[in-house]
Short mmCIF file of all heavy atoms in Angstrom, two decimals:
data_model
loop_
_atom_site.label_atom_id
_atom_site.label_comp_id
_atom_site.label_asym_id
_atom_site.label_seq_id
_atom_site.Cartn_x
_atom_site.Cartn_y
_atom_site.Cartn_z
N ALA A 942 -0.15 -8.60 5.06
CA ALA A 942 1.14 -8.05 5.48
C ALA A 942 0.93 -6.91 6.47
O ALA A 942 1.61 -6.82 7.50
CB ALA A 942 1.92 -7.57 4.26
N MET A 943 -0.02 -6.03 6.16
CA MET A 943 -0.30 -4.91 7.06
C MET A 943 -0.80 -5.41 8.42
O MET A 943 -0.41 -4.87 9.47
CB MET A 943 -1.31 -3.97 6.41
CG MET A 943 -0.78 -3.25 5.19
SD MET A 943 -2.03 -2.37 4.23
CE MET A 943 -2.56 -1.12 5.40
N ALA A 944 -1.64 -6.44 8.41
CA ALA A 944 -2.15 -7.00 9.67
C ALA A 944 -1.02 -7.59 10.51
O ALA A 944 -1.11 -7.65 11.74
CB ALA A 944 -3.20 -8.07 9.37
N ALA A 945 0.04 -8.02 9.84
CA ALA A 945 1.21 -8.58 10.53
C ALA A 945 2.25 -7.50 10.85
O ALA A 945 3.41 -7.80 11.09
CB ALA A 945 1.83 -9.67 9.68
N SER A 946 1.83 -6.24 10.84
CA SER A 946 2.71 -5.11 11.15
C SER A 946 3.88 -5.00 10.18
O SER A 946 5.01 -4.75 10.59
CB SER A 946 3.24 -5.19 12.58
OG SER A 946 2.20 -5.15 13.50
N ARG A 947 3.60 -5.16 8.91
CA ARG A 947 4.64 -5.00 7.90
C ARG A 947 4.38 -3.74 7.10
O ARG A 947 3.26 -3.43 6.74
CB ARG A 947 4.68 -6.20 6.95
CG ARG A 947 4.98 -7.53 7.63
CD ARG A 947 6.38 -7.50 8.23
NE ARG A 947 6.71 -8.75 8.87
CZ ARG A 947 6.72 -8.94 10.19
NH1 ARG A 947 6.40 -7.95 11.00
NH2 ARG A 947 7.06 -10.09 10.71
N CYS A 948 5.43 -3.01 6.83
CA CYS A 948 5.35 -1.83 6.00
C CYS A 948 5.25 -2.30 4.55
O CYS A 948 6.01 -3.17 4.13
CB CYS A 948 6.60 -0.98 6.20
SG CYS A 948 6.61 0.50 5.20
N VAL A 949 4.31 -1.75 3.82
CA VAL A 949 4.12 -2.19 2.43
C VAL A 949 4.44 -1.07 1.45
O VAL A 949 4.30 0.10 1.76
CB VAL A 949 2.67 -2.70 2.20
CG1 VAL A 949 2.39 -3.93 3.05
CG2 VAL A 949 1.64 -1.62 2.47
N ILE A 950 4.89 -1.50 0.28
CA ILE A 950 5.12 -0.61 -0.85
C ILE A 950 4.32 -1.20 -2.00
O ILE A 950 4.47 -2.39 -2.31
CB ILE A 950 6.61 -0.52 -1.23
CG1 ILE A 950 7.44 -0.03 -0.04
CG2 ILE A 950 6.79 0.39 -2.43
CD1 ILE A 950 8.94 -0.13 -0.24
N VAL A 951 3.44 -0.39 -2.57
CA VAL A 951 2.59 -0.88 -3.65
C VAL A 951 2.61 0.11 -4.81
O VAL A 951 2.88 1.29 -4.64
CB VAL A 951 1.13 -1.09 -3.18
CG1 VAL A 951 1.07 -2.08 -2.01
CG2 VAL A 951 0.46 0.21 -2.79
N TYR A 952 2.28 -0.42 -5.98
CA TYR A 952 2.11 0.45 -7.14
C TYR A 952 0.76 1.16 -7.05
O TYR A 952 -0.20 0.62 -6.50
CB TYR A 952 2.12 -0.36 -8.43
CG TYR A 952 3.48 -0.81 -8.90
CD1 TYR A 952 3.66 -2.09 -9.41
CD2 TYR A 952 4.58 0.05 -8.87
CE1 TYR A 952 4.91 -2.50 -9.87
CE2 TYR A 952 5.82 -0.37 -9.33
CZ TYR A 952 5.98 -1.64 -9.83
OH TYR A 952 7.20 -2.05 -10.29
N ASP A 953 0.70 2.34 -7.61
CA ASP A 953 -0.56 3.07 -7.75
C ASP A 953 -1.29 2.45 -8.94
O ASP A 953 -1.29 2.97 -10.05
CB ASP A 953 -0.27 4.56 -7.99
CG ASP A 953 -1.54 5.40 -7.95
OD1 ASP A 953 -2.61 4.86 -7.67
OD2 ASP A 953 -1.43 6.61 -8.20
N TRP A 954 -1.89 1.28 -8.66
CA TRP A 954 -2.43 0.46 -9.74
C TRP A 954 -3.50 -0.45 -9.14
O TRP A 954 -3.29 -1.07 -8.12
CB TRP A 954 -1.28 -0.36 -10.32
CG TRP A 954 -1.57 -1.25 -11.48
CD1 TRP A 954 -1.47 -2.61 -11.48
CD2 TRP A 954 -1.94 -0.88 -12.80
NE1 TRP A 954 -1.76 -3.10 -12.72
CE2 TRP A 954 -2.06 -2.05 -13.55
CE3 TRP A 954 -2.20 0.34 -13.41
CZ2 TRP A 954 -2.41 -2.04 -14.89
CZ3 TRP A 954 -2.56 0.34 -14.74
CH2 TRP A 954 -2.65 -0.84 -15.47
N GLY A 955 -4.66 -0.48 -9.73
CA GLY A 955 -5.73 -1.31 -9.21
C GLY A 955 -6.28 -0.74 -7.91
O GLY A 955 -6.29 0.47 -7.69
N ALA A 956 -6.72 -1.63 -7.03
CA ALA A 956 -7.38 -1.22 -5.79
C ALA A 956 -6.42 -0.97 -4.62
O ALA A 956 -6.85 -0.52 -3.56
CB ALA A 956 -8.39 -2.30 -5.38
N LEU A 957 -5.15 -1.23 -4.81
CA LEU A 957 -4.22 -1.12 -3.68
C LEU A 957 -4.14 0.28 -3.06
O LEU A 957 -4.05 0.40 -1.84
CB LEU A 957 -2.84 -1.63 -4.09
CG LEU A 957 -2.80 -3.12 -4.44
CD1 LEU A 957 -1.40 -3.54 -4.84
CD2 LEU A 957 -3.33 -3.97 -3.31
N PRO A 958 -4.20 1.35 -3.85
CA PRO A 958 -4.19 2.67 -3.21
C PRO A 958 -5.39 2.92 -2.29
O PRO A 958 -5.31 3.71 -1.36
CB PRO A 958 -4.21 3.64 -4.40
CG PRO A 958 -3.60 2.87 -5.51
CD PRO A 958 -4.07 1.45 -5.30
N GLU A 959 -6.49 2.21 -2.51
CA GLU A 959 -7.64 2.34 -1.62
C GLU A 959 -7.38 1.64 -0.29
O GLU A 959 -7.96 2.00 0.73
CB GLU A 959 -8.88 1.73 -2.28
CG GLU A 959 -9.31 2.44 -3.54
CD GLU A 959 -10.40 1.69 -4.29
OE1 GLU A 959 -11.14 0.91 -3.66
OE2 GLU A 959 -10.49 1.88 -5.52
N LEU A 960 -6.51 0.66 -0.30
CA LEU A 960 -6.20 -0.12 0.90
C LEU A 960 -5.08 0.52 1.72
O LEU A 960 -5.14 0.55 2.94
CB LEU A 960 -5.81 -1.53 0.48
CG LEU A 960 -5.49 -2.54 1.55
CD1 LEU A 960 -6.69 -2.76 2.46
CD2 LEU A 960 -5.07 -3.86 0.92
N VAL A 961 -4.07 1.03 1.06
CA VAL A 961 -2.90 1.59 1.73
C VAL A 961 -3.11 3.10 1.91
O VAL A 961 -2.92 3.88 1.00
CB VAL A 961 -1.61 1.30 0.93
CG1 VAL A 961 -0.39 1.88 1.65
CG2 VAL A 961 -1.44 -0.19 0.71
N LYS A 962 -3.50 3.47 3.09
CA LYS A 962 -3.76 4.88 3.40
C LYS A 962 -2.47 5.59 3.80
O LYS A 962 -1.50 4.95 4.20
CB LYS A 962 -4.80 4.98 4.54
CG LYS A 962 -6.14 4.37 4.18
CD LYS A 962 -6.74 5.05 2.98
CE LYS A 962 -8.08 4.46 2.59
NZ LYS A 962 -8.56 4.89 1.32
N PRO A 963 -2.44 6.91 3.71
CA PRO A 963 -1.23 7.66 4.09
C PRO A 963 -0.76 7.28 5.50
O PRO A 963 -1.55 7.16 6.43
CB PRO A 963 -1.70 9.12 4.05
CG PRO A 963 -2.83 9.12 3.06
CD PRO A 963 -3.52 7.79 3.27
N GLY A 964 0.53 7.06 5.60
CA GLY A 964 1.13 6.69 6.88
C GLY A 964 1.12 5.21 7.17
O GLY A 964 1.73 4.75 8.13
N CYS A 965 0.41 4.42 6.33
CA CYS A 965 0.30 2.97 6.54
C CYS A 965 1.15 2.18 5.55
O CYS A 965 1.12 0.95 5.54
CB CYS A 965 -1.16 2.53 6.40
SG CYS A 965 -2.24 3.21 7.66
N GLY A 966 1.85 2.87 4.69
CA GLY A 966 2.67 2.23 3.67
C GLY A 966 3.00 3.26 2.61
O GLY A 966 2.74 4.45 2.79
N PHE A 967 3.54 2.80 1.50
CA PHE A 967 3.96 3.69 0.45
C PHE A 967 3.35 3.29 -0.88
O PHE A 967 3.32 2.11 -1.23
CB PHE A 967 5.49 3.70 0.33
CG PHE A 967 6.15 4.24 1.57
CD1 PHE A 967 6.43 3.41 2.65
CD2 PHE A 967 6.46 5.58 1.66
CE1 PHE A 967 7.02 3.91 3.79
CE2 PHE A 967 7.05 6.10 2.81
CZ PHE A 967 7.32 5.25 3.89
N ILE A 968 2.84 4.27 -1.60
CA ILE A 968 2.26 4.06 -2.92
C ILE A 968 3.17 4.77 -3.92
O ILE A 968 3.45 5.96 -3.77
CB ILE A 968 0.84 4.63 -2.99
CG1 ILE A 968 -0.04 3.98 -1.93
CG2 ILE A 968 0.25 4.44 -4.39
CD1 ILE A 968 -1.38 4.67 -1.73
N VAL A 969 3.65 4.01 -4.88
CA VAL A 969 4.56 4.58 -5.88
C VAL A 969 3.93 4.45 -7.27
O VAL A 969 3.07 3.59 -7.48
CB VAL A 969 5.95 3.89 -5.85
CG1 VAL A 969 6.62 4.09 -4.49
CG2 VAL A 969 5.84 2.41 -6.18
#
C-alpha cells in the first residue's frame, strides 16, 4: 500500500510500527 502511495493506518502491534515510520502513515 505504501509503495502505491497510500496512506496507512496500523495498530501498534507486531512488526508494523517498524515499517511505518513517522510521517509515512499512522500508528494507533
Side-chain angles (χ1 to χ4, degrees):
M943 293 169 65
S946 298
R947 299 296 181 255
C948 179
V949 297
I950 301 171
V951 302
Y952 283 139
D953 188 3
W954 182 244
L957 296 180
E959 296 171 25
L960 182 60
V961 181
K962 299 300 180 192
C965 296
F967 296 87
I968 302 168
V969 298

